[in-house]
Amino acid sequence: MRVVIAPNAFKGSLSAIDAADAIAEGVRAAASDAELVLVPIADGGDGTVDALVAATHGERRTLRVRGPLGDPVNADYGLIDAGSTAVIEMAKAAGLALVPPAKRDPRITTTYGVGELLQHAYDEGARHFIVGIGGSATNDGGAGMAQALGYHLLDEEGHELPPGGLALKRLARIHVGGVHASWKAAEVDVACDVTNPLTGPSGASAVYGPQKGATPEMVAELDAALKHFAEIIRRDLGAGAAGGLGAGLVAFTGARLRPGAEMVMEALRLDERVAGAGLVITGEGRIDSQTARFGKGPAAVARHARQAGIPVVAIGGSIADEPELRPLFDGLEAILVEPSSLDEAIARARPLLVAASTRLMRLLLAGRRLAGAHIDG
């Protein structure tokens, strides 16, 4: 039997690649002759570069770029499809994890390093870009990224604006003469599963600013600066700037905002990989109604498997008994079979996942034998 193993990361314990290896080990213990196809997945967030590079035998590039506070940081990105597609996680160059808690201030943090990654990938020959924008430390609407691509954001005196979202309140005009490449001719897909507007009570500053260190007063200042930024973009570029953190990518590169999981499935050519399989196994750390409602990776895998008429089962660190899951999966298996603390479960994640995969595979094989005996009888 051909088995496609396509798990998401088990956050806090196993990457998608490690999870796929653990599931494969468990499946082999129950069915040593199974043909296994490992396709670690992601949904556009953390781990997307790793998953796509591993599953497509792509390449990784590491670049020294300007970090969110202006200090140099090492950031990597992936090249797949023979180098024609670049996979970039915004957090690698402008992530919250790069800023110590005591220094978090979204008024001054910048996305400049993200633009450097984009430009480097373009110079390497990429013309299709998959960009994950989760986990950032910034609130500049992609202004820093635009400057790295060659746009000039100028004040009334014609001086370049300094880094950070607060400086945008002084933006007088956008000069496009220094743009390094014709980004509107490139194809940029942004993994964006949220629909927050750029400004207002549900905007980027109000919703995400506090977790990046913004006080209520800072939120009000940043929201006003982003509103002004959007007005200048519309006037000088003729582009809309709605869409939260993706605003700058939409305005400056002509990007499309797309559901992250489906975008990754397309890049992985999942339909081709599951064709002819007898079983698909997916999973992640927690499987509940949000898996279905928010289009997480395992839900996307399940939909593709069902469209192909292939049984699909999921393994989770924990599983909720919720009705939204029943139409998605033919079976669910939790890794824990006895009481355990969260810390213990995380520490033992790999052997627990191996054991759960073996249990699941044995049950499925027993079911097949019973079905065969019933048919023969």
Side-chain angles (χ1 to χ4, degrees):
M1 176 173 37
R2 186 165 179 264
V3 180
V4 174
I5 298 172
N8 210 342
F10 283 60
K11 286 189 178 178
S13 55
L14 296 170
S15 69
I17 298 168
D18 292 336
D21 287 339
I23 294 171
E25 182 180 335
V27 170
R28 288 192 191 99
S32 59
D33 59 344
E35 177 192 349
L36 306 184
V37 179
L38 276 59
V39 190
I41 65 163
D43 51 22
D46 181 44
T48 298
V49 170
D50 292 338
L52 284 174
V53 168
T56 62
H57 305 291
E59 301 178 55
R60 191 182 299 273
R61 295 283 190 272
T62 301
L63 193 65
R64 194 77 165 163
V65 301
R66 189 182 303 180
L69 291 175
D71 300 324
V73 299
N74 289 326
D76 61 359
Y77 68 91
L79 287 172
I80 64 174
D81 298 334
S84 64
T85 296
V87 187
I88 293 171
E89 293 177 28
M90 184 179 188
K92 299 277 190 181
L96 197 60
L98 298 174
V99 183
K103 294 185 177 181
R104 290 177 182 172
D105 186 345
R107 296 174 299 178
I108 61 172
T109 47
T110 178
T111 54
Y112 194 94
V114 179
E116 291 180 288
L117 291 179
L118 286 163
Q119 188 61 50
H120 189 271
Y122 190 100
D123 293 341
E124 289 287 294
R127 293 299 180 268
H128 176 217
F129 298 80
I130 296 172
V131 185
I133 58 174
S136 83
T138 60
N139 204 106
D140 71 352
M145 174 209 71
Q147 290 172 311
L149 294 180
Y151 287 90
H152 294 291
L153 308 184
L154 307 175
D155 63 16
E156 289 287 358
E157 285 73 43
H159 300 139
E160 193 78 34
L161 292 184
L166 190 59
L168 294 173
K169 68 180 183 180
R170 298 193 282 111
L171 179 63
R173 64 185 182 278
I174 299 172
H175 179 58
V176 302
V179 178
H180 301 153
S182 179
W183 277 96
K184 295 299 174 72
E187 183 182 359
V188 183
D189 289 324
V190 180
C192 184
D193 293 330
V194 295
T195 56
N196 299 79
L198 182 64
T199 62
S202 299
S205 302
V207 175
Y208 302 108
Q211 65 194 24
K212 301 171 185 180
T215 65
E217 292 77 16
M218 291 181 192
V219 166
E221 289 181 305
L222 289 166
D223 190 65
L226 285 181
K227 184 177 180 180
H228 177 66
F229 184 41
E231 291 169 353
I232 301 298
I233 285 174
R234 291 189 187 97
R235 187 196 71 192
D236 290 2
L237 302 182
L245 290 176
L249 284 160
V250 172
F252 295 106
T253 71
R256 300 179 297 172
L257 304 182
R258 299 183 58 196
E262 282 300 328
M263 193 166 70
V264 172
M265 299 308 118
E266 181 181 298
L268 288 171
R269 297 184 175 87
L270 187 67
D271 289 336
E272 296 176 22
R273 291 168 182 262
V274 302
L279 175 68
V280 174
I281 302 175
T282 186
E284 65 179 349
R286 169 75 175 170
I287 297 177
D288 55 23
S289 60
Q290 293 189 22
T291 303
R293 291 175 187 169
F294 299 130
K296 292 187 177 181
V301 170
R303 282 192 291 272
H304 283 260
R306 285 193 170 278
Q307 287 168 8
I310 301 168
V312 56
V313 295
I315 303 173
S318 62
I319 294 174
D321 182 17
E322 295 176 329
E324 290 94 335
L325 299 176
R326 293 167 196 159
L328 279 175
F329 304 107
D330 294 292
L332 294 165
E333 178 74 21
I335 68 170
L336 291 174
V337 293
E338 59 186 23
S340 173
S341 70
L342 178 60
D343 289 342
E344 290 172 338
I346 289 174
R348 299 175 55 224
R350 181 181 173 83
L352 287 171
L353 184 54
V354 171
S357 304
T358 302
R359 287 195 308 272
L360 178 62
M361 198 65 195
R362 285 174 177 161
L363 284 170
L364 292 170
L365 292 174
R368 289 184 69 187
R369 288 193 292 271
L370 284 170
H374 177 73
I375 292 170
D376 292 340

